[in-house]
Amino acid sequence: MSEGIKILWIDDEVDLLQVHIMYLEEKGHTVTTATNAIDAFEILREEQYDIIFLDENMPGWTTF
C-alpha cells in the first residue's frame, strides 16, 4: 500500500470536522489542523503538505 497524503486543514471550527479527519486518517493519510491563519503560517514554515483544505470564511483571515 502506498503512503497517504499529507493534509493541512485550516478551519476555525475544526472540532466539527473530527469525523472527516478520522476517516482520512483511517485511509492512511496524515491530517494536521490549524484553527487560524497565524498558526497555519507557522505550521507551513516547518512542513510541506500535499493538499490544504481551507475554510474561506474564517474570522480574521482577511487581515493577512
Side-chain angles (χ1 to χ4, degrees), residues 3-63:
E3 279 190 38
I5 59 174
K6 287 178 62 177
I7 301 166
L8 175 59
W9 201 325
I10 308 165
D11 194 307
D12 59 318
E13 298 178 321
V14 78
D15 292 337
L16 300 175
L17 304 171
Q18 287 304 313
V19 152
H20 304 292
I21 292 167
M22 288 173 27
Y23 173 79
L24 291 167
E25 290 175 339
E26 287 174 2
K27 296 296 181 183
H29 307 301
T30 302
V31 181
T32 302
T33 61
T35 58
N36 62 66
I38 294 169
D39 290 347
F41 285 123
E42 289 297 320
I43 290 168
L44 287 167
R45 285 187 184 133
E46 301 293 324
E47 285 289 328
Q48 291 185 331
Y49 291 85
D50 300 309
I51 190 167
I52 297 173
F53 295 147
L54 175 62
D55 179 357
E56 65 182 45
N57 191 21
M58 283 190 348
W61 184 257
T62 57
T63 61

